[in-house]
């Protein structure tokens, strides 16, 4: 067989040789890692994408390397308009910007094009060279041929696929190929596998550890009938040319890893290191058993869910880090104030088995993350979130920014900050009572307090903005004593029969009147923010309602 002639017949339009495709060597410090995200622009970005991207980003930036974006748009059927924008927006909204690659304004970096659909000539140049060397060949088998072959394999209880005697186009004479080409029969290009399932290859995965995988014996498709490569071939060519040193991808690719290793070897290229990440699982609410997160059943799989529900981006990242590295939580406890990126992330601490996603745990993490933010940061985030998601609340929230910020500052800072907020949407129920427009009081009194006592306490209470916390507490004690409540909780506990209740009940009456609820942040601070007039109006309203 004259392979050069065959290559010319198949790729007359390809005039380049592999040597003509040259990129500069990456100038990076020793040990620097180059990682990439290779999402497809299907319009749907999921939590698994972010999970992998966080690994990529940390590996690259922790080592002084590069994290780049490649758009894997070889499947036109699955592509949606605006898909690339969705990808770029998703990662930048989580604070994981790319150093290089596809952007909305075009390519950034010296290793492009970064969209696979623009790389057809590059792939075909390498495929042509494989054909010239007898390492790849055209296959004209139709869907029906392949289905019939599968039936035959099933009946004979043999392995499925295109290999051995089933690889019917592998050694066909030129006349047969020419006849099909003359008829215009569509064809794919297959890689001629020299592998055998009798052989095992050793692989050391950064996540899964040492393993043995079976060599590939299938003549897999590398170029589809439209001249576009399959994932396998595009992965090998792109990650080689773009200088990727670590490929982080879902464990669903482990099954075809032997194909990729085989292709790297055939091309004479060094394969990158691989980190195959475990699937994200959850406990199914109905069955109580573990299952994969599903697009249909679990809204939390979509990345858009988090922004819309008001999860702060840093909370989602911190939570994913707790899933990724088992020692992260311990580090966080020891370093509550450090930025997450100070944590020494390592693939060695990643679990090879499924990561269990738990939204309640995410909320707990988020409470901690928000509790460490400044009032200013919370204000800015809620301002932005509510503008898009709750315009009515937004108008009140920004009406008096200083007052709002002062409220958000209550219980913030210090060793034990309040942890009321997990989502930006929690801010409204947390502070709505501050705004008369949203104030819907529940005047249910504590058990020990009669309406009469409550009314008396309220009418005798005089708020003074100049009071220190001690002055305020002294006022509460005086009111307690006057109305038959213990001034100290301790005294009440020792002799409950002697009192109606204790000082806590008295301050609860004030809280119920001013905040319209039993749960609210420090009342003295709240009243100072409200000011005398609003406090008095609240007190009067409560007296009238009781
Ligand atoms: N386009 C592939 C996917 O979306 C990328 C896998 C990889 O990172 O290699 O699954």
């Amino acid at each position: 067989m004259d392979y050069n002639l065959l290559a010319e017949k198949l790729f007359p339009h390809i005039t380049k040789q592999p040597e003509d495709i040259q990129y500069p060597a990456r100038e990076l410090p020793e040990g620097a890692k180059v990682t990439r995200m290779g999402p497809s622009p299907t319009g749907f970005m999921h939590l698994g994408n972010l999970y992998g991207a966080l690994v990529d980003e940390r590996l690259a930036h922790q080592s002084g390397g590069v994290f780049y974006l490649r758009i894997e748009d070889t499947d036109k059927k699955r592509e949606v308009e605006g898909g690339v924008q969705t990808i770029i927006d998703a990662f930048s909204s989580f604070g994981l910007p790319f150093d290089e690659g596809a952007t909305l304004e075009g390519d950034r970096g010296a290793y492009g094009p970064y969209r696979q659909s623009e790389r057809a000539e590059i792939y075909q140049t390498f495929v042509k060279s494989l054909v010239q060397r007898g390492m790849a060949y055209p296959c004209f088998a139709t869907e029906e041929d392949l289905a019939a072959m599968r039936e035959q394999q099933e009946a004979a209880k043999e392995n499925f696929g295109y290999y051995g005697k089933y690889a019917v186009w592998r050694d066909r004479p030129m006349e047969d190929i020419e006849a099909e080409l003359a008829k215009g029969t569509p064809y794919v290009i297959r890689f001629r596998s020299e592998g055998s399932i009798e052989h095992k290859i050793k692989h050391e995965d950064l996540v899964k550890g040492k393993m043995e995988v079976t060599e590939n014996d299938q003549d897999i498709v590398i170029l589809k009938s439209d001249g576009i490569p399959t994932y396998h071939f595009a992965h090998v060519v792109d990650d080689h040319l773009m200088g990727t040193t670590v490929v982080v991808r879902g464990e669903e690719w482990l099954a075809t890893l032997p194909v990729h290793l085989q292709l790297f070897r055939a091309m004479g290229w060094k394969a990158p290191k691989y980190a195959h990440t475990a699937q994200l699982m959850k406990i199914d609410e109905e069955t109580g058993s573990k299952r994969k997160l599903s697009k249909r059943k679990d809204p939390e799989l979509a990345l858009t869910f988090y922004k819309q529900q008001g999860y702060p981006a840093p909370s989602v990242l911190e939570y994913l880090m707790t899933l990724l590295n088992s020692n992260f939580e311990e580090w966080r406890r020891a370093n509550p104030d450090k930025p997450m990126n100070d944590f020494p992330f390592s693939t060695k601490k990643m679990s090879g088995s499924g990561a269990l996603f738990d939204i309640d745990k995410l909320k707990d993490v988020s409470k901690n993350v928000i509790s460490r933010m400044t009032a200013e940061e919370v204000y800015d985030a809620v301002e932005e979130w509510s503008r898009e998601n709750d315009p009515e609340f937004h108008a009140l929230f920004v009406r008096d920014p200083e007052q709002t910020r002062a409220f958000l500052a209550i219980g913030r800072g210090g060793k034990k900050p309040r942890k009321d907020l997990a989502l930006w949407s929690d801010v409204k129920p947390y502070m709505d009572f501050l705004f008369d427009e949203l104030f819907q009081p529940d005047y249910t009194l504590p058990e020990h307090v009669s309406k009469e006592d409550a009314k008396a306490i309220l009418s005798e209470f005089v708020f003074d903005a100049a009071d220190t916390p001690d002055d305020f507490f002294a006022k509460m004690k005086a009111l307690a004593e006057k109305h038959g409540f213990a001034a100290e909780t301790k005294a009440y506990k020792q002799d409950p029969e002697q009192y109606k209740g204790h000082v806590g009940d008295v301050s609860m009456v004030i809280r119920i009147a001013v905040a319209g609820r039993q749960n609210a942040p420090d009342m003295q601070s709240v009243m100072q923010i409200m000011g005398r007039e609003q406090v008095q109006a609240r007190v009067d309203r409560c007296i009238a309602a009781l």
Side-chain angles (χ1 to χ4, degrees):
M1 167 77 89
D2 183 344
Y3 293 128
N4 275 317
L5 182 65
L6 176 61
E8 279 321 313
K9 278 189 193 297
L10 298 173
F11 298 101
H13 56 289
I14 295 293
T15 51
K16 281 191 181 152
Q17 294 293 319
E19 309 79 78
D20 300 329
I21 299 171
Q22 292 284 351
Y23 290 95
R26 285 188 181 272
E27 306 271 339
L28 290 170
E30 176 84 22
K33 296 183 172 74
V34 178
T35 60
R36 87 300 191 266
M37 275 298 287
S40 302
T42 59
F44 183 71
M45 292 303 290
H46 57 82
L47 197 60
N49 293 129
L50 187 64
Y51 182 76
L54 184 54
V55 178
D56 282 318
E57 190 275 341
R58 287 291 75 216
L59 289 180
H61 292 156
Q62 231 171 228
S63 63
V66 174
F67 170 45
Y68 73 89
L69 174 65
R70 179 170 71 227
I71 302 295
E72 308 218 324
D73 55 353
T74 52
D75 188 352
K76 288 287 160 201
K77 285 195 288 298
R78 292 179 60 221
E79 187 166 341
V80 301
E81 220 187 294
V84 174
Q85 171 125 32
T86 311
I87 293 169
I88 291 172
D89 287 351
F91 293 112
S92 70
S93 77
F94 280 101
L96 297 179
F98 298 100
D99 306 311
E100 176 185 310
T103 77
L104 293 176
E105 292 79 41
D107 285 343
R108 185 152 61 103
Y111 301 84
Y114 293 92
R115 291 174 200 234
Q116 289 184 331
S117 58
E118 293 169 15
R119 299 174 61 80
E121 195 195 356
I122 297 176
Y123 304 120
Q124 290 180 15
T125 302
F126 287 103
V127 174
K128 182 174 183 181
S129 146
L130 286 174
V131 174
Q132 282 168 342
R133 289 179 283 154
M135 294 164 82
Y137 62 88
C139 165
F140 297 86
T142 61
E143 291 290 334
E144 294 76 44
D145 294 342
L146 296 176
M149 181 179 98
R150 199 182 159 88
E151 266 175 38
Q152 210 183 326
Q153 288 166 338
E154 189 153 22
K157 294 202 168 26
E158 286 178 313
N159 288 338
F160 293 135
Y162 201 93
Y163 63 94
K165 66 176 190 234
Y166 294 106
V168 290
W169 282 93
R170 191 176 160 120
D171 290 310
R172 285 288 262 272
M174 188 69 111
E175 302 87 76
D176 291 5
I177 295 173
E178 280 178 332
E180 296 300 330
L181 287 177
K183 279 192 274 175
T185 312
Y187 63 92
V188 298
I189 304 286
R190 288 184 184 270
F191 176 73
R192 182 189 294 269
S193 172
E194 302 294 341
S196 153
I197 54 168
E198 305 297 323
H199 297 157
K200 299 274 183 208
I201 348 173
K202 287 192 181 5
H203 166 65
E204 185 158 3
D205 197 87
L206 294 180
V207 176
K208 305 270 173 189
K210 286 197 172 121
M211 61 175 78
E212 284 202 334
V213 290
T214 305
E215 222 172 57
N216 169 56
D217 70 337
Q218 307 265 338
D219 285 0
I220 59 128
V221 176
I222 52 176
L223 207 62
K224 295 182 271 188
S225 55
D226 54 3
I228 296 295
T230 53
Y231 167 80
H232 311 303
F233 196 67
H235 153 50
V236 170
V237 170
D238 292 349
D239 283 316
H240 169 71
L241 295 180
M242 297 180 181
T244 310
T245 64
V246 183
V247 167
V248 179
R249 61 183 183 186
E251 66 186 359
E252 66 276 16
W253 295 109
L254 207 47
T256 43
L257 176 70
V259 170
H260 309 142
L261 295 176
Q262 183 181 39
L263 287 173
F264 271 107
R265 211 173 328 116
M267 303 298 288
W269 296 335
K270 185 169 176 257
K273 290 203 160 60
Y274 287 91
H276 286 97
T277 57
Q279 289 274 2
L280 286 174
M281 313 285 280
K282 74 178 269 184
I283 301 286
D284 186 276
E285 278 129 38
E286 275 164 35
T287 62
S289 50
K290 255 197 209 177
R291 63 165 173 78
K292 272 200 286 190
L293 281 168
S294 117
K295 188 171 168 180
R296 196 169 49 81
K297 293 190 207 157
D298 306 311
E300 70 269 29
L301 185 60
L303 280 189
T304 45
F305 170 87
Y306 298 92
K307 192 163 180 215
Q308 196 194 21
Q309 296 285 307
Y311 285 89
S315 304
V316 179
L317 293 181
E318 279 231 16
Y319 174 62
L320 290 180
M321 191 53 91
T322 65
L323 288 181
L324 283 169
N325 263 197
S326 46
N327 54 331
F328 175 69
E329 282 182 273
E330 198 186 312
W331 178 88
R332 176 46 90 205
R333 274 193 295 275
N335 302 280
D337 301 318
K338 288 205 176 149
M340 183 181 98
N341 287 353
D342 284 7
F343 169 69
F345 170 78
S346 163
T347 49
K348 291 201 181 74
K349 298 278 182 196
M350 283 172 73
S351 146
S353 51
L356 196 58
F357 178 80
D358 174 357
I359 202 136
D360 292 326
K361 183 75 199 285
L362 163 59
K363 286 183 187 158
D364 284 344
V365 167
S366 190
K367 282 183 181 170
N368 284 311
V369 169
I370 297 180
S371 78
R372 290 192 297 267
M373 292 181 179
T374 63
E376 195 74 27
E377 285 167 332
V378 175
Y379 180 87
D380 291 346
V382 176
E383 193 277 311
E384 189 188 326
W385 181 83
S386 61
R387 187 168 2 113
E388 270 169 45
N389 297 284
D390 191 349
E392 192 200 352
F393 178 64
H394 180 260
L396 298 169
F397 188 81
V398 301
R399 187 168 60 191
D400 181 348
E402 229 165 283
Q403 189 190 47
T404 303
R405 284 195 198 105
F407 187 95
L408 293 171
I410 301 174
R412 206 159 275 286
K415 281 232 159 345
K416 282 203 165 227
R418 289 185 69 96
K419 295 180 181 173
D420 307 270
L421 310 170
L423 306 180
W424 298 136
S425 56
D426 292 341
V427 172
K428 183 178 176 181
Y430 174 65
M431 68 180 298
D432 56 357
F433 70 87
L434 185 66
F435 307 110
D436 288 337
E437 291 84 344
L438 300 178
F439 184 56
Q440 285 183 327
D442 170 3
Y443 291 136
T444 311
L445 294 169
E447 231 184 296
H448 313 294
V449 186
S450 69
K451 278 190 182 180
E452 288 63 39
D453 283 336
K455 279 190 198 181
I457 289 168
L458 287 171
S459 36
E460 286 165 38
F461 169 65
V462 187
F463 172 68
D464 185 344
D467 281 351
T468 64
D470 283 345
D471 297 336
F472 176 73
F473 209 54
K475 275 186 184 170
M476 293 297 108
K477 283 185 179 175
L479 281 170
E481 264 166 7
K482 180 158 180 216
H483 294 282
F485 293 80
E488 309 282 345
T489 14
K490 214 167 126 199
Y492 173 74
K493 281 196 181 132
Q494 276 166 2
D495 198 357
E497 300 299 307
Q498 233 201 287
Y499 303 99
K500 293 180 183 165
H502 58 77
V503 64
D505 298 314
V506 175
S507 40
M508 184 58 87
V509 170
I510 307 293
R511 173 175 284 117
I512 287 169
V514 176
R517 60 171 78 152
Q518 301 203 358
N519 258 319
D522 175 61
M523 277 324 281
Q524 216 232 338
S525 311
V526 168
M527 288 191 286
Q528 260 163 354
I529 291 166
M530 283 182 163
R532 196 183 150 76
E533 222 172 283
Q534 197 183 5
V535 171
Q536 197 55 51
R538 294 276 168 105
V539 167
D540 294 343
R541 178 170 167 175
C542 183
I543 294 174
L546 284 174

